[in-house]
Amino acid sequence: MEKQKLKFPEGFLWGAATSAYQVEGGNTNNWSEWGEKNAERLAEEAKFCWQDWQQKKFPEMFDPQNYISGRACDHYNLYEKDFDIARELGHNTHRFSIEWSRIEPEEGKFNDEEIEHYRKVIRAIKARGMEPFVTLWHWTNPVWLEKKGGCESRDFPKYFSRYSEYVAQKLGQEVKFWITLNEPTSVIASSYITGMWPPQKRSLLAGWKLYKKFARAHIEAYKHIHAADPDSQVGFANILHSFEPYRRKWFLDELMVRIGKYITNRRMLNLTKGYNDFLTVQYYFHNRFKFPRKIRTDGLPVSDMNWEIFPHGIYRIIHKLKEHNLPIYITENGLADADDSRRENFIKEHLKEIHEAIKDGADIRGYFHWSLLDNFEWDKGFWPRFGLVEIDYKTMERKIRSSALEYAKICKSNEIDD
């Protein structure tokens, strides 16, 4: 019996994503300084943070060097080689970020040489037949800004506005799609609620105030980008979780779900209403609440980071976003999978859910897998392997994984088998 084909809309964008700090190498910012100061502590704490099977599979987590970004993937120098791979894999789009600390290494002093570097990056993407999606802020701040309070600074929106205006004026004619901020709620949660990320300040009040700071920063950047090119398309990258109660119609479980959906999925959208040309989905997490905490779901497969794999969650998220009547791009979706045993199925099962959402009326226009390359995973370091392309961090050799070749078939044909 011949397999049914699930076709995606004509002109659908297929690609992958990266972020500057995670792949470029040679960056100096708040995260690089924090990593160097905390490497030994992170290596020591790994024995308490991860399960036995993870510790055995990834012993590098106990090496302090794992937590220092260093050369990362040397993408700053090897970007053309990496884009050649993306083209070979049938990608027609690529998302990357500009590193603020390169553009404005000192307060108010902009580096035209670095702007020209990113102009070359953009043109290298376009020369290979790919549409660039440019992110202005992917969690890292220049050191001078961090000394002034970082994201928590009263003037963060002003500083980000000045930076985004400069980049938009310099590169606005080169780029159609812009993402202002990447996952602001991830920073709120991990830097100011759990206190795991820099500046490791556990403060509900500070975290709550950040919503409005990030919203103002996004809105100002939106205005600057449209002033530079009225035809630009601008949004922000929103991490959206799948939430469900452990017990249906159980008030406290349902309450936890409502709170989770509001603070994670909806508040930033509400605060930026009218200033998004498209919406985004960055989907990794499935959360079930049994008051007063999250619980694991029995029987679900997990990634190397022990994150539950629940493809139907992305359908639920998209179904809710339809009410905004805006185009939707899946700007991140992926998993840590060093032995590449789950990635192919992960991609296909999520794409089936996305196709179902399209069939049900969602205006989804593109999918970016996270990530094109293995990369430096923030406070986890190098051991989680998210890439379609495997990186040997000693030699910088690139090796295309088999799952990437399966994804390439989808990209080139614009369809998947049902």
Side-chain angles (χ1 to χ4, degrees):
M1 183 175 179
E2 188 176 349
K3 291 181 180 178
Q4 181 183 355
K5 300 289 185 179
L6 302 179
K7 293 186 178 294
F8 284 78
E10 186 176 350
F12 197 82
L13 294 178
W14 297 101
T18 60
S19 88
Y21 179 57
Q22 293 179 267
V23 298
E24 283 184 346
N27 282 308
T28 301
N29 53 41
N30 65 318
W31 266 95
S32 67
E33 292 205 339
W34 181 85
E36 290 180 6
K37 291 178 182 176
N38 288 273
E40 300 242 355
R41 174 182 64 82
L42 293 168
E44 178 64 25
E45 290 178 356
K47 66 182 71 171
F48 308 110
C49 296
W50 305 104
Q51 296 188 15
D52 288 344
W53 66 267
Q54 292 167 301
Q55 295 182 31
K56 291 176 182 177
K57 190 173 182 179
F58 303 104
E60 58 267 40
M61 67 172 62
F62 302 113
D63 181 358
Q65 287 300 312
N66 174 71
Y67 302 96
I68 297 175
S69 58
R71 293 173 66 197
C73 306
D74 199 22
H75 179 72
Y76 186 87
N77 296 305
L78 300 177
Y79 64 90
E80 291 190 278
K81 181 176 183 178
D82 294 333
F83 298 155
D84 284 341
I85 294 172
R87 176 177 59 182
E88 179 185 344
L89 294 174
H91 298 187
N92 59 13
T93 189
H94 181 73
R95 179 187 167 210
F96 75 99
S97 72
I98 292 175
E99 174 61 30
W100 186 353
S101 65
R102 291 188 188 276
I103 301 301
E104 192 180 2
E106 297 180 56
E107 183 180 353
K109 296 181 180 179
F110 296 99
N111 189 328
D112 286 337
E113 289 183 9
E114 293 293 356
I115 276 288
E116 290 308 309
H117 168 80
Y118 286 112
R119 191 187 308 278
K120 291 176 182 176
V121 170
I122 291 165
R123 291 179 176 177
I125 292 170
K126 294 167 77 172
R128 289 158 177 80
M130 297 186 289
E131 183 73 51
F133 271 61
V134 179
T135 304
L136 287 171
W137 181 81
H138 200 121
W139 299 351
T140 58
N141 292 329
V143 173
W144 62 263
L145 174 56
E146 198 67 9
K147 291 178 179 178
K148 289 176 173 285
C151 301
E152 195 183 348
S153 166
R154 179 184 63 184
D155 292 325
F156 177 82
K158 180 182 76 173
Y159 296 135
F160 185 74
S161 174
R162 182 178 63 193
Y163 156 67
S164 61
E165 180 179 24
Y166 174 81
V167 175
Q169 288 177 349
K170 294 289 185 178
L171 301 177
Q173 297 303 312
E174 306 269 359
V175 179
K176 179 180 179 182
F177 293 97
W178 294 88
I179 291 172
T180 57
L181 304 172
N182 181 77
E183 295 184 10
T185 53
S186 290
V187 173
I188 291 170
S190 295
S191 296
Y192 292 90
I193 307 303
T194 65
M196 295 189 304
W197 293 356
Q200 293 185 281
K201 179 178 180 179
R202 299 184 67 175
S203 168
L204 289 173
L205 179 60
W208 187 252
K209 288 180 177 179
L210 271 177
Y211 282 100
K212 289 189 175 180
K213 288 188 174 74
F214 282 137
R216 289 201 302 272
H218 166 76
I219 290 168
E220 288 302 311
Y222 179 95
K223 293 176 181 177
H224 290 314
I225 293 167
H226 276 284
D229 180 6
D231 295 328
S232 293
Q233 296 289 294
V234 186
F236 73 96
N238 204 11
I239 188 165
L240 301 172
H241 294 212
S242 172
F243 292 98
E244 60 179 315
Y246 178 72
R247 297 161 290 193
R248 299 286 174 183
K249 298 184 179 179
W250 190 278
F251 173 73
L252 291 176
D253 291 3
E254 293 279 5
L255 178 63
M256 293 295 292
V257 167
R258 290 181 185 179
I259 293 171
K261 285 182 176 180
Y262 177 71
I263 64 175
T264 302
N265 292 5
R266 296 178 185 164
R267 182 159 169 76
M268 274 297 295
L269 278 178
N270 293 345
L271 291 171
T272 60
K273 188 175 181 180
Y275 295 94
N276 291 295
D277 301 316
F278 58 85
L279 301 181
T280 65
V281 176
Q282 308 210 154
Y283 174 61
Y284 297 96
F285 299 109
H286 171 243
N287 300 319
R288 294 179 77 204
F289 282 107
K290 183 178 183 181
F291 184 83
R293 61 182 63 86
K294 290 188 292 185
I295 64 167
R296 306 288 298 183
T297 305
D298 293 336
L300 285 183
V302 297
S303 72
D304 286 344
M305 295 182 73
N306 208 29
W307 297 352
E308 294 181 2
I309 299 173
F310 184 68
H312 185 59
I314 202 167
Y315 174 88
R316 293 176 177 174
I317 289 166
I318 294 167
H319 183 75
K320 183 63 180 175
L321 285 183
K322 284 195 302 181
E323 66 188 33
H324 295 273
N325 295 314
L326 287 170
I328 300 169
Y329 294 91
I330 313 302
T331 45
E332 285 187 29
N333 175 231
L335 79 166
D337 181 24
D339 56 21
D340 203 34
S341 61
R342 290 149 289 177
R343 189 172 289 105
E344 176 186 342
N345 190 64
F346 177 98
I347 292 172
K348 290 179 178 178
E349 292 305 311
H350 281 82
L351 287 176
K352 287 176 185 177
E353 296 287 349
I354 292 166
H355 186 275
E356 188 68 17
I358 293 172
K359 192 169 70 173
D360 289 347
D363 184 12
I364 305 172
R365 300 187 182 183
Y367 175 86
F368 296 77
H369 188 73
W370 184 270
S371 174
L372 177 63
L373 311 171
D374 285 341
N375 55 47
F376 182 76
E377 186 58 25
W378 306 102
D379 62 327
K380 313 300 186 296
F382 287 108
W383 67 263
R385 299 278 185 157
F386 279 86
L388 293 168
V389 179
E390 181 181 351
I391 302 295
D392 184 322
Y393 292 115
K394 293 181 180 178
T395 65
M396 294 298 155
E397 180 186 359
R398 273 73 168 140
K399 181 181 178 182
I400 297 172
R401 289 191 164 103
S402 60
S403 58
L405 298 176
E406 292 301 315
Y407 179 47
K409 294 175 185 177
I410 298 168
C411 298
K412 292 173 182 178
S413 66
N414 202 39
E415 64 186 17
I416 59 172
D417 291 330
D418 186 5

